[in-house]
Structures are given as C-alpha cells and as structure tokens.
Amino acid sequence: MAKLNMLRVNRLPLIHYGVAVLASLLALLFRLLLEPILQGEAPLLLFILPVMVSAWYGGFKPGILATILSALVGSYFFIPPIFSFVPTDLADAIRCSIFLVEGILISALNESLRRSKQRSEATALSLKRSEEQSRLIIEGVQDYAIFMLGLDGRIVTWNDGAQGITGYGVGEILGRHLIILYPSSSQTSEAADHLKPQQELQIATTEGRFVSEDWQQRKDGSLFWASIVTTGLRDETRNLRGFSRITRDITERKQAEESLIRSAHRLEALHEIDRAILATEFGGEPIGTALDRVSQLVPCERAIATLFDFETNTAQILQEARSEGEANPEVVPLVFFLPERVFQQDLQQKVEYITAAQICPISLTRSLSAQGSCIRVPLVSDEILLGELTLFVTATTEWSDEYQDIVTEVANQLAIALRQSQLRNQIQQKADELEQRVIERTLKLQAANQELESFAYSISHDLRAPLRAIQGFAQAFLEDYGDRLDNLGQEYAQRIVTAAARLDTLIQDLLNYSRVSRTDLQLQRINLTAVVEDVLTQLGASLQEQQAQVIVEKPLLSVLGHRSTLVQIVSNLISNAAKFVPPERTPQIKIWTEMREDRVRLWVADNGIGIAPQHQDRIFQIFERLHGVEVYPGTGIGLAIVCKGVERMGGQMGLESQIGEGSQFWIELRRGT
C-alpha cells in the first residue's frame, strides 16, 4: 500500500504537465480551425485558455509550461514570419512578451489560490478532527459531567459522564433548566437553594468563571457532593454565547474529609480527656470533664461513670455530665447494676454481663426518656472491674461502630484514671504510714543518741576524778618509793602512769567529740589566718620538738563557721600531719585556701606515710586506727571530731593521699561575707 501511494504521488506531477501539453495542443487545434474566420487577428488570444486550465489544475509549474508552449506554437503558426519562432515586427514581439507576462501572473495567482484553498481545507479538516476528538473525549469521560448551557441556563449538550453521575439520559435532560440538578429546599437546610442556578450563571457571566462545592441531586432524588466549575463562553467579539459546566462527584472525598475532621475532634477530645484525668483525684472534676466530652462526641442524653465496691457491695456514682448543680457522689446498692449471682463470677463473666445488658440500672432511669435505652461499657484496668460507663441514648439514635470505639477508648482512659487514683491513694496511705514510722523512729533514735551522748559525757566526766587520783598516786608512789622497788616493780608503776595518761587523753577526746556534737553552733565570719596562727601557737612546743616545718600561704580566706570548733579541727589536722611521718623524715606541712564557687576549701598537706585508698573512708569513724599506739600514739578520735565539726557547720571534707607520698586533707565551708 505504501509503495502504491508513493507511485501515485510520483505520477501526479506528470499528469499535471500532461494536462498542460494537452490543453496547449487542443488550443492550437481550435485556433487552426478558427483561422479562416480570424485571418491572423489575435494570434495568441485563444492560447490564454490552456494557461488558465493548466494553472488551475496543476499549479504554477504546469501553468508556466502551458504559457511557454502556447507562446511557441502561437508565434510559430500565427505570427509572421510563419513557421518561425522569432517575430520580426516589434509589435508582435511586444504582443508575445505581454502574453508571457500574463501567463506567469495567471500561473502565480492560481498557485496562490490553490495553496490558500489547500490550507483552508487542511484547517477545516483539522478543526473537524479536533472537534471529533474533543467530542469523543468529552463523551468518553466517565468521572466528570461535562455539558453546555444556553444563555437561558438550559442544557444543550450531555456526555456519558453526566449521565453516569446524575442518572439522566440525553433525551431526558436536553432542554431542561440547570435547576433540575439542584436539590429542593426541603432536602437541605438552606431555604434559597432555588436561587443558586441564577447566582451561578450570573457569577460566570460577570467574572468569567464560577467555582463551588455544593450539593447536587440525581434523577432518583439522592444527593451527592459535587465540585462545580462553570465558565462563560464568548466569541471573538466578546459576546456571551453560552456556558460550559464541569461537575465531579466528590462525595467520597467529602466523606473522607468529614471523617478526618471527626477523627481530629475525636483525638483532640481524647487528648483533653487524657490531660484532665492525668491530674484527677478520686471522683474529681476532670472525670466530669471527660464525661462532658463524651456527650459531645457521641449522641447521648446523659453519660455517667459509676465505681463498684465488691467488698461492701455498693456502687458509687462519681459524677454525671450535664447535671444541674453540683451533687455529692451517690452511693447505691451494687445490685442496682449487677445481680447478686454475678458478684462471685470471674472478670470475663462480669464484663460479658455488663456489655450484653439491655436494661438500664435502676438508680439511673429517673431522668431517662421513655423511648431511650442504655449503652453500658465496663471500666477494666489491671484485670480488675472498677465500674462502668453508662450512656443514655434515644430510640432514634444510629449507634455506629465509630461511636462504640470512642466510648470504649474513653472507658479505658477512665478505668486507667480510676485505677491510678486508687493506687495513688494506696501509695499515699503507705507513704503516710512510713513517714509516721520514720518520724517515730527518728525521734526514738534522737532520744537514744542524746541519752548516749549524755551518758558518754557523764561517764567521761565522772571517770576523770578517779583517773587523776590513780595517775597522781602512781606518780607519787614512783617518786617516794621508787628507790625501794626493783626494776620490775618500777616498770609496773611506770606502766600505770602511762596507761592513766593515755586514758586521760582518750577521755578528753571523748569529751571534745561530745562537745562538738552537743554544742549549739552559732555560725559567723571567721578569719582562717587568725585561726591557724592560734593553733600554731598552741602546738608550738610540740611542733618544735618534732622539728616540723609549717608553710602557710597567707592571707587565708574567711569562712562562715564556729571559731572554737574550727580551732579544734585545724589543731587535729596539723597534729596528725606532724605525727604520721616516718622517723627518718622531717615533717613538712603546707596550709592554703582556694575558692570553689561560693565555698572556701582549706587544705592541710603533709609529707607523711600516706593512706591506702581502701582505708580513706574508715579513718573518719570514731576509734578507727590504722596503726598501733606503740608506733603512732593517739586515740582514733581526732579525725572523727574533724568530720563531726565540719558536718555541724554545714560543710564537707575529704582527702587525697598515696602510700609513702603524704596526704592532703581538705575541709570546705561557706564563704564568710
């Protein structure tokens, strides 16, 4: 087929040129026949006909061919000299030239007309095809109703999509007014629905386009949400010729949007209920807020939450939404909600009874309408039936699965809130009991400590008198009768004196510890430089005997403390720093202060024997010693006094130490201002 079409296309110019040759020959023959009549007049006049025919039929080139052929045969046969192509007379030459120009002009004009006609035909064919395609597209669209309206609003075209959406056939709808697609006022809440078609066409006329989403009516009377676009159609002179209307059924989309809006409101309400019940206390106002929100989300007359108590067989109506006034929770017999045979059944059977119950609880039916019924939802948390949520609905209420889901979610939240409230009350009760026990035991412990401290102070104070007698008589015995004793007797007497002195030091330390624990400390601004100087003065003889070197980085900062307690603390730290040093090493002690935010830290560093990390906590306990008295004398109470004194002044203490490299003790007190 393609080859045949190509062959036809190639042969078409030959036919055009053949027509030009044939027309020229026919013109020659006809001129020869008329020669006896014309007798040489108008030799080329008749030859204009083949030029016109060839140009009209074949176009410019066949017209030119006919012009040339006609000029040649006309000159050869009819212009003197006869049988010559070259005229000798000037007028004949001019006549031939004019003929050639006329032939060219006629050919060009016919070619232009021919091409213009071809373009017009091609344009018309294209428009026809475009219109046919548009018609097929419009008629083939199934999801959109696309149709035309006249100036009077009557329907003039109708596609398959419009028929599918509205149910009207072409024969039923053409010529009908647009108002047929709008619902009557009785089907909607708007009284001016009959004015909407006129408003639609008026807006499309004035503004060029009308866009809206509105209810439309099908042939069977059912309504659907439609997206409407109406456009005014104008011609080249801007005169209104009619309207085009595109309508799409968006009912599913609207339903989805409404469902999303309801879901958003539902989530917002549930979130508000969450916030309300998180802070709820037993029977508190937030439960009423939750019930009010339920009444807004679900079509019901009333919503009531009730708590069951299976130990007392009673039910407590916690709060009722939309109730008049603020009534106290009502306590009624549990049999108003559950029959006695259900009391001893397991959780599942109780829940099934409440869920399946069609009868409203007796105590809640007073304000229920005669045609109403109850929706009862159990409140369950931690496998415990806490109560129920009761909703009163009218007989005309359409109870959907969505409403059931909402009520179930709210019931679960209320159950959790009630359970949390019960647990919180139980925890609070236990906490109160524990706190009371702690208070009682603390008082007993404080009393015992006070008695113990009083006992220790009394014992220490009372022991000193006989101890001093033993020490004095032993010393006098050695002085008066020492020369009468042998070496063993003198050693025994000396041991009595030494032991009495050690016991006196121990009793003095106990008294100091008791004094630090019992004294009412009045804190004030203390200059640490003065405290350290006083201590060094008191310990001057002992430090000089031990050849201790003490370096104080002055000035030391001031702290908020108790002076005598600080003197005791610094004295114990410096004494230990000078005492716990290897015999072959000269004691070196360094004292300085530094700021730690709003506190002052006092350091006392030495070059002594150091303390192992595992023993650094023990040394602050009373009577804790790491070495025997024969190596490093002492009572094991000095650092306990330091710890107790710092604690009483609201401070902290600690140390940094390594075996063989010395120790750095520090106390930290508030800055004195």
Side-chain angles (χ1 to χ4, degrees), residues 56 111-123:
W56 170 81
E111 177 68 17
S112 176
L113 293 174
R114 186 169 176 270
R115 290 187 178 181
S116 177
K117 180 181 178 181
Q118 289 177 348
R119 287 196 296 270
S120 299
E121 291 176 350
T123 302

Side-chain angles (χ1 to χ4, degrees), residues 10 100 237 287 315 347 378 412 430 487 517 519 527 657 667 670:
N10 294 333
L100 289 173
T237 59
I287 293 183
L347 173 64
N412 292 335
K430 297 295 184 182
N487 293 334
S517 301
T519 303
N527 188 341
S657 180
I667 63 171
R670 285 175 292 176

